[in-house]
């Protein structure tokens, strides 16, 4: 009623056909997606380290594209790891 949108269970929409999750694009349609290398080993074994990976922007045929073609997607190349306290006496 007040114009707000709230996510509810799919069962509330069972009387309506689900819309397609694809739509035709116009203009520049050669958008890419990030292809990642494997994560490096964690920089620390405890107390919070980080690990890294390389990201390459590619299209569906795995052709390398300029990074700007993947700007619609977040590039995740660093993540935290080993976030538990180190054992101590």
């Amino acid at each position: 009623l007040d114009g707000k949108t709230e996510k509810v269970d799919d069962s509330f929409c069972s009387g309506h056909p689900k819309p397609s999750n694809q739509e035709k694009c116009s203009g520049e349609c050669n958008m890419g997606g990030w292809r990642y290398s494997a994560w490096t080993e964690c920089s620390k074994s405890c107390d919070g380290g980080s690990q890294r990976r390389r990201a390459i922007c590619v299209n569906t045929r795995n052709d390398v594209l300029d990074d700007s073609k993947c700007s619609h997607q977040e590039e995740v190349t660093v993540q935290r790891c080993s976030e538990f306290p180190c054992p101590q006496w």
Side-chain angles (χ1 to χ4, degrees):
L1 295 172
D2 57 2
K4 292 183 180 174
T5 302
E6 185 177 335
K7 181 172 172 40
V8 296
D9 190 80
D10 288 357
S11 62
F12 286 98
C13 295
S14 60
H16 304 285
K18 189 171 185 176
S20 173
N21 61 359
Q22 295 183 357
E23 63 181 46
K24 286 189 173 193
C25 59
S26 59
E28 180 63 58
C29 294
N30 195 13
M31 301 302 283
W34 296 112
R35 185 177 72 199
Y36 294 104
S37 67
W39 288 107
T40 61
E41 194 172 319
C42 193
S43 61
K44 295 170 74 177
S45 60
C46 56
D47 271 350
S50 62
Q51 50 190 171
R52 300 179 177 278
R53 64 182 177 180
R54 289 188 314 279
I56 301 168
C57 184
V58 295
N59 63 16
T60 54
R61 296 187 312 273
N62 271 337
D63 299 324
V64 177
L65 304 174
D66 188 81
D67 285 359
S68 64
K69 299 288 186 192
C70 290
S71 59
H72 63 288
Q73 254 184 332
E74 185 183 3
E75 177 186 7
V76 181
T77 56
V78 179
Q79 73 177 5
R80 295 182 58 80
C81 53
S82 300
E83 293 187 4
F84 47 87
C86 289
Q88 53 185 316
W89 292 105

